[in-house]
């Protein structure tokens, strides 16, 4: 029976991947402006295999645990919303004080997500040298997390550099809206980042995959139940989280928790959104019709999500001579003892290539 169930799940997931391969959205379909210093083919000459390397590795990762897709997508969000898409959330803080990772909103980021990004950096740098930034790898990994879990495929503008500093805890708290925030608060906070209400609702749709800890929504259950929450849904959550201090997790989308689709918006219409920040999107007069349109038209949601992701992925990016390309994603190069031997290896390799060209 267990073997039969496992086989069925594998066949279902495989069919999702085949179907998702048809959902490709090229940059030609979107006229979103590209930040100076980024381009669609930035690594074409210097590391043309980078996207294949990332996708090949992530396919292996997700074959073992598709849950890691949500972790990588969330990592990109938390990186970009705080201090821009500069890979600063990856820094471990061993030099220069506490890192962004110690701030409350980031403490639930998956450790495996950080490890996967470092594994990808190692694979890419082994193939191409220290050419691709950790920030670019995070953006590519988020795109592949979406696509390989059933969502749209799309091009990502590249050329980001890695930041030399991390944000303070106060800055992190100020730039990552809490799950207890209402729609008005979220719209105001993200309007400052040039995100429209449609962008905000589309990006919130990323909650269609992944899990959440009880602490993120317990206030909707205890001491009294949020009246906007559907009763049967609330009863199920109380079984997972019997107290307001229970340390457990539950799927954010009860319909299809491992598939990137539009069912999250169906959840909201059924009053089965997990967070206040989710459910209130269906209450607010500005966002409610957007939620409804995405719930009824998955293609429309995918198109809006891609536009919003491309826009978000360019927030306050460092390009050109700003920032660096880290030799290790969790350590700034000036703090990395191994970096100096890494430079010698790069110089030696460069000399060999130059001599070969002169022969």
């Amino acid at each position: 029976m267990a073997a039969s169930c496992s086989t069925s799940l594998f066949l279902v997931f495989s069919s999702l991947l085949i179907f998702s391969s048809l959902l490709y959205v090229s940059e030609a379909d979107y006229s979103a402006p590209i930040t100076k210093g980024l381009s669609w083919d930035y690594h074409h000459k210097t590391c043309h295999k980078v996207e294949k390397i990332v996708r090949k590795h992530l396919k292996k990762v997700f074959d073992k645990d598709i849950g890691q897709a949500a972790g990588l997508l969330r990592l990109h969000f938390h990186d970009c919303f705080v201090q821009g898409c500069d890979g600063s959330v990856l820094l471990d803080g061993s030099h220069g004080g506490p890192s962004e990772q110690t701030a409350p909103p980031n403490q639930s980021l998956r450790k495996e997500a950080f490890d996967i990004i470092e594994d990808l950096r190692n694979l890419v740098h082994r193939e191409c040298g220290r050419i691709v930034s950790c920030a670019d790898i995070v953006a590519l990994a988020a795109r592949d997390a979406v696509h390989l879990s059933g969502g749209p495929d799309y091009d990502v503008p590249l050329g980001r550099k890695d930041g030399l500093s991390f944000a303070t805890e106060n800055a992190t708290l100020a730039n990552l809206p809490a799950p207890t925030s209402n729609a008005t608060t979220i719209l105001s906070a993200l309007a400052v980042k040039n995100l429209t209400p449609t962008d905000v609702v589309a990006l919130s749709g990323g909650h269609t995959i992944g899990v959440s800890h009880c602490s993120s929504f317990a206030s909707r259950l205890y001491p009294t139940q949020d009246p906007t929450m559907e009763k049967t849904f609330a009863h199920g959550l109380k079984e997972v989280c019997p107290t307001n201090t229970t340390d457990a997790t539950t799927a954010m989308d009860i319909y299809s928790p491992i598939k990137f689709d539009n069912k999250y918006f169906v959840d909201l219409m059924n009053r089965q959104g997990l967070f206040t920040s989710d459910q209130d999107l269906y209450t607010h007069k500005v966002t409610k019709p957007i939620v409804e349109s995405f719930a009824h038209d998955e293609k429309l949601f995918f198109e809006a999500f891609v536009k919003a992701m491309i826009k978000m992925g360019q927030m306050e990016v460092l390009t050109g001579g700003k920032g660096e390309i880290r030799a290790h994603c969790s350590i700034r190069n000036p703090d990395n003892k191994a970096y100096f031997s890494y430079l010698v290896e790069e110089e030696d390799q460069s000399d060999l290539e130059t001599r070969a060209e002169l022969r």
Side-chain angles (χ1 to χ4, degrees):
M1 178 68 178
S4 176
C5 181
S6 177
T7 301
S8 297
L9 286 174
F10 175 77
L11 291 174
V12 169
F13 183 61
S14 297
S15 65
L16 292 180
L17 296 187
I18 293 171
F19 176 70
S20 68
S21 68
L22 302 176
L23 301 170
Y24 180 78
V25 182
S26 75
E27 90 269 7
D29 296 318
Y30 295 97
S31 56
I34 304 303
T35 297
K36 183 179 180 181
L38 300 184
S39 68
W40 301 108
D41 58 354
Y42 187 85
H43 296 298
H44 181 69
K45 293 183 178 179
T46 56
C47 189
H48 68 279
K49 293 183 179 180
V50 58
E51 298 196 40
K52 290 183 179 179
I53 294 170
V54 171
R55 181 159 295 186
K56 181 179 179 180
H57 183 68
L58 290 183
K59 282 181 178 178
K60 294 178 181 178
V61 171
F62 298 158
D63 280 347
K64 294 180 180 178
D65 182 5
I66 188 59
Q68 298 302 333
L72 290 170
L73 179 58
R74 188 164 178 246
L75 190 65
H76 186 41
F77 275 61
H78 282 233
D79 183 35
C80 290
F81 281 154
V82 182
Q83 199 171 275
C85 310
D86 64 348
S88 59
V89 73
L90 304 173
L91 292 170
D92 64 12
S94 57
H95 297 80
S99 72
E100 290 174 34
Q101 295 173 30
T102 63
N106 290 334
Q107 289 180 15
S108 60
L109 291 173
R110 294 189 181 215
K111 178 185 180 300
E112 296 92 338
F114 295 95
D115 294 339
I116 291 168
I117 294 300
E118 182 56 29
D119 289 343
L120 289 170
R121 180 211 59 76
N122 186 47
L123 290 170
V124 171
H125 285 191
R126 188 188 305 166
E127 175 71 26
C128 304
R130 193 170 52 88
I131 297 295
V132 183
S133 69
C134 296
D136 268 357
I137 291 172
V138 169
L140 288 172
R143 185 272 307 278
D144 287 353
V146 169
H147 175 57
L148 294 176
S149 57
D153 196 5
Y154 55 94
D155 291 321
V156 176
L158 300 172
R160 299 165 189 78
K161 295 296 176 62
D162 296 320
L164 295 167
S165 63
F166 37 74
T168 64
E169 180 173 312
N170 287 340
T172 303
L173 289 168
N175 285 279
L176 288 173
T180 54
S181 302
N182 61 29
T184 299
T185 299
I186 292 173
L187 290 174
S188 298
L190 299 187
V192 175
K193 300 181 182 297
N194 196 36
L195 294 176
T196 67
T198 299
D199 294 331
V200 172
V201 177
L203 291 175
S204 297
H207 287 169
T208 189
I209 56 174
V211 299
S212 174
H213 291 264
C214 294
S215 57
S216 296
F217 56 86
S219 62
R220 299 188 68 203
L221 300 173
Y222 308 104
T224 58
Q225 184 182 313
D226 184 338
T228 65
M229 185 180 285
E230 193 270 326
K231 291 182 179 179
T232 303
F233 178 60
H235 178 74
L237 292 179
K238 287 179 180 178
E239 289 185 345
V240 176
C241 311
T243 72
N244 63 356
T245 58
T246 303
D247 183 17
T249 60
T250 189
M252 291 194 286
D253 174 3
I254 63 173
Y255 285 101
S256 50
I258 64 170
K259 182 187 176 186
F260 194 97
D261 56 20
N262 68 333
K263 296 302 185 290
Y264 159 85
F265 300 104
V266 176
D267 291 336
L268 302 190
M269 292 181 68
N270 291 332
R271 297 191 295 120
Q272 295 170 332
L274 198 57
F275 305 146
T276 298
S277 59
D278 292 323
Q279 191 58 57
D280 204 47
L281 294 175
Y282 190 58
T283 302
H284 196 281
K285 64 179 181 179
V286 173
T287 54
K288 182 176 181 177
I290 304 172
V291 169
E292 292 174 332
S293 66
F294 290 165
H296 291 119
D297 189 340
E298 186 175 79
K299 182 180 178 182
L300 182 67
F301 162 51
F302 283 177
E303 291 175 349
F305 183 81
V306 168
K307 287 182 181 179
M309 283 292 284
I310 292 173
K311 183 187 291 188
M312 184 195 77
Q314 298 180 78
M315 284 180 178
E316 302 176 62
V317 292
L318 302 175
T319 61
K322 297 179 180 179
E324 64 180 6
I325 297 177
R326 293 186 205 133
H328 193 291
C329 289
S330 67
I331 309 171
R332 295 174 293 190
N333 288 340
D335 301 326
N336 187 357
K337 294 180 180 179
Y339 169 66
F340 299 102
S341 60
Y342 193 107
L343 285 181
V344 171
E345 290 176 7
E346 283 188 326
E347 290 171 357
D348 289 345
Q349 180 63 30
S350 178
D351 288 343
L352 288 173
E353 291 173 355
T354 299
R355 291 170 189 169
E357 290 173 0
L358 293 174
R359 287 175 184 171

